[in-house]
Amino acid sequence: MNRKQTSLVVDGALEEISALEYILLGDLLDLLDEADGDAAAWKWISKVLDTLLSAMPREFELQDEGGYLEEVLEEQPNWQGQVRDLYQERCELLRKLNQLRTRMRDSQPLQKMQQIASELRDELRDWITSYIAHQRHERRIVQDAFNSDFGVGD
């Protein structure tokens, strides 16, 4: 497989994972709204988190092929600090989601879960908000790298 074919396969796989992630995040928000003392909702939240935690590392692996935001650094080498900060933020978001999932798992059975349900629900909502903001920042830095004109003369 040549470089162009490999790129198309990676892009297709990334698109599929991103679509799945988008659906899962929407489902997670809906489930969090229904989660008050509902064992079934928490069971589904657990399954959604498991699926996210299996899909996200693969997504990150595909994004990092050739280097994380390498296309940005090729256009704007002096943005290395911003790219590094985004990479660290992405790693922290994955770690935080893992921690939330572990806390949820450790809070079984349901009686114990009800004690921290409100806290977990709020933290999961905050995580979703942070993750969406991170994705927007990634898209914005890519757009800015290719759309910036630094005093090109006529």
Side-chain angles (χ1 to χ4, degrees):
M1 200 180 301
N2 66 32
R3 185 177 165 109
K4 186 174 181 175
Q5 289 170 323
T6 302
S7 179
L8 290 173
V9 170
V10 167
D11 289 347
L14 260 172
E15 196 173 302
E16 284 180 28
I17 291 172
S18 294
L20 172 65
E21 189 177 275
Y22 178 81
I23 291 166
L24 290 171
L25 290 174
D27 288 348
L28 186 55
L29 283 170
D30 290 344
L31 288 165
L32 289 170
D33 289 338
E34 302 168 9
D36 281 337
D38 183 357
W42 283 103
K43 181 179 174 184
W44 282 107
I45 288 170
S46 177
K47 290 185 182 299
V48 168
L49 290 178
D50 287 344
T51 305
L52 273 171
L53 286 167
S54 67
M56 289 175 75
R58 177 66 180 140
E59 176 187 26
F60 295 168
E61 180 184 306
L62 290 169
Q63 287 175 337
D64 293 353
E65 230 172 72
Y68 178 70
L69 295 178
E70 189 61 34
E71 68 276 16
V72 168
L73 294 176
E74 287 173 7
E75 288 293 315
Q76 304 293 338
N78 58 328
W79 290 9
Q80 191 171 25
Q82 291 178 60
V83 170
R84 183 186 56 248
D85 291 347
L86 271 173
Y87 180 80
Q88 290 172 344
E89 181 181 71
R90 186 182 75 173
C91 293
E92 178 61 24
L93 283 163
L94 184 59
R95 188 187 64 73
K96 176 68 173 174
L97 188 60
N98 257 314
Q99 285 178 338
L100 289 169
R101 176 64 184 103
T102 299
R103 278 185 47 216
M104 203 171 115
R105 218 180 245 151
D106 292 347
S107 298
Q108 302 300 329
L110 184 62
Q111 296 82 7
K112 203 172 170 188
M113 172 64 100
Q114 288 174 336
Q115 294 171 1
I116 67 163
S118 178
E119 183 181 314
L120 268 173
R121 190 173 39 249
D122 291 343
E123 287 185 48
L124 282 166
R125 281 190 184 117
D126 289 346
W127 182 89
I128 291 168
T129 300
S130 296
Y131 187 66
I132 290 169
H134 172 81
Q135 289 178 315
R136 284 186 187 131
H137 194 176
E138 282 180 330
R139 284 191 299 273
R140 189 172 48 249
I141 197 171
V142 170
Q143 291 170 347
D144 289 350
F146 288 94
N147 291 330
S148 59
D149 251 341
F150 292 106
V152 177
D154 294 323

